[in-house]
Amino acid sequence: FLFFFYRWPAMLADRKHVLLFRGLMLTMGLLYVLMEQRNISERITLEERESKVFLESKRSQLNHIASQISHIDNKTNDIQSYLKHEVSDMMKTMADNYMAKFQEAEKELETLKKKV
């Protein structure tokens, strides 16, 4: 490879042409390196943009999930308070029913005592 780009022109032309050819090869090599560096930096910039977009989408998904969890938590609290209220009412009703039955049973016992 080096023979082709470094020695071969020396065999074909005089010193001025050799220096010109070597300078041209160095210039092309530098241009290639600069173009590759630009491509790499463009790829890095593109990847940074894509990662920012990806992170923003994930952040918005997490915010949406957090709002759903908050909504579910609020609904759960509403259901718990409703059930506490309903159970309390049910317990009062049952206690009132048992007290009424107990009072009826006491009355019947009093009437039976009077009969006896």
Side-chain angles (χ1 to χ4, degrees), residues 2 5 13 21 24 33-34 42 57-58 60 65-66 70 75 83 85 87 89 91 95 97-98 103 106 108 112 115:
L2 286 176
F5 284 111
F21 184 77
L24 182 66
V33 168
L34 290 174
E42 284 177 357
S57 69
K58 292 300 173 188
S60 68
I65 291 170
S70 175
K75 288 290 184 183
L83 287 177
H85 179 69
V87 167
D89 287 348
M91 294 294 278
N97 289 343
Y98 284 124
Q103 287 173 353
E106 279 186 335
E108 285 182 28
L112 285 176
K115 286 184 183 178

Side-chain angles (χ1 to χ4, degrees), residues 23-80:
L24 182 66
M25 288 296 120
L26 284 174
T27 305
M28 288 175 58
L30 285 174
L31 283 175
Y32 176 77
V33 168
L34 290 174
M35 287 182 357
E36 281 300 311
Q37 184 180 9
R38 182 175 173 210
N39 286 340
I40 289 171
S41 55
E42 284 177 357
R43 267 189 259 138
I44 289 171
T45 306
L46 181 65
E47 288 173 0
E48 285 175 352
R49 282 190 208 135
E50 289 173 349
S51 65
K52 285 180 183 176
V53 168
F54 177 76
L55 288 176
E56 285 298 319
S57 69
K58 292 300 173 188
R59 186 176 291 129
S60 68
Q61 286 177 354
L62 287 175
N63 288 338
H64 180 68
I65 291 170
S67 68
Q68 286 179 333
I69 289 172
S70 175
H71 179 71
I72 290 170
D73 192 39
N74 291 338
K75 288 290 184 183
T76 303
N77 289 338
D78 292 346
I79 291 170
Q80 283 178 344

